[in-house]
Amino acid sequence: MSLDKHWYAVHTYSGYENKVKANLEARLESMNMQDLIFRVVIPEEEETTIKDGKKKTAMKKTFPGYVLVELVMTDESWYVVRNTPGVTGFVGSQGAGSKPNPLLPEEVKFILRQMGMSEKIVDVEVAVGESINIIAGPFNNQSGVIESIDEDHYKLTVLVEMFGRETPVEVEFDQIEKL
């Protein structure tokens, strides 16, 4: 059994997305599931409308009736999500009691990018003291040495030579490559 975390689409009663997100987040706390269930996201994007000459911005659900859940699929995590009030089931289940298929990484990346979030996939194994190249962001094409790693926030502090001295800069995992 794979203990990798993946994203799953969960079907909810229409209009219950926020309630399901709140219920699920409360349940994962009370049932101590934080090591199996990580994030609950309602796919939505900003929509600007003009009414009576006034500009109004609101969040519009891009997939009404669905919530995305990042989790490690086990019997326990499946049960907790499946039995959350407002949830009608996982998308991609083949029948009663069967485990659903996770969303494809490209699908998740697209949805999160649409929302202004990015899926953090850390496939760079690095250590403090290691030399790296920065391949994106404001410090693109700079080289440096890793000073510290913050895995929870997907950030690194890298010492980069600027103005004749080493300066600490903060970059994300997906902005670097090993030398």
Side-chain angles (χ1 to χ4, degrees):
M1 161 138 89
S2 164
L3 286 180
D4 292 339
K5 62 181 173 180
H6 295 285
W7 285 93
Y8 294 86
V10 175
H11 196 257
T12 70
Y13 291 119
S14 189
Y16 276 70
E17 302 88 356
N18 293 353
K19 194 178 277 304
V20 165
K21 177 178 164 66
N23 285 343
L24 192 49
E25 287 173 343
R27 282 170 65 91
L28 75 95
E29 287 285 326
S30 68
M31 298 173 94
N32 205 17
M33 297 295 288
Q34 300 93 323
D35 54 342
L36 291 175
I37 303 173
F38 303 96
R39 288 192 281 176
V40 182
V41 172
I42 300 169
E44 53 189 5
E45 59 190 1
E46 218 171 68
E47 183 180 63
T48 305
T49 53
I50 298 175
K51 191 175 178 181
D52 302 330
K54 290 186 171 61
K55 200 172 177 182
K56 186 180 169 202
T57 303
M59 294 309 283
K60 175 182 173 266
K61 291 176 179 43
T62 49
F63 299 108
Y66 295 93
V67 172
L68 302 183
V69 184
E70 185 184 32
L71 57 85
V72 173
M73 184 55 71
T74 65
D75 289 342
E76 298 85 6
S77 62
W78 178 86
Y79 181 85
V80 167
V81 173
R82 182 68 193 83
N83 291 293
T84 296
V87 169
T88 58
F90 277 94
V91 175
S93 294
Q94 304 309 325
S98 73
K99 297 288 191 290
N101 295 320
L103 295 170
L104 297 172
E106 308 82 75
E107 295 171 321
V108 175
K109 241 183 200 161
F110 177 78
I111 293 167
L112 294 179
R113 193 173 298 129
Q114 248 188 334
M115 294 173 60
M117 297 168 67
S118 62
E119 170 59 342
K120 305 294 188 179
I121 298 174
V122 180
D123 54 3
V124 186
E125 287 292 319
V126 290
V128 172
E130 202 167 334
S131 295
I132 53 97
N133 275 332
I134 301 173
I135 55 170
F139 303 102
N140 193 8
N141 297 325
Q142 299 270 351
S143 295
V145 175
I146 298 172
E147 183 182 51
S148 67
I149 300 172
D150 179 356
E151 286 185 37
D152 293 340
H153 296 99
Y154 305 99
K155 294 187 185 295
L156 305 157
T157 303
V158 179
L159 294 174
V160 175
E161 187 157 322
M162 272 191 264
F163 311 115
R165 62 188 177 114
E166 285 190 330
T167 305
V169 298
E170 199 171 77
V171 295
E172 298 190 12
F173 280 98
D174 58 0
Q175 294 178 318
I176 65 153
E177 67 181 6
K178 288 174 114 173
L179 278 179

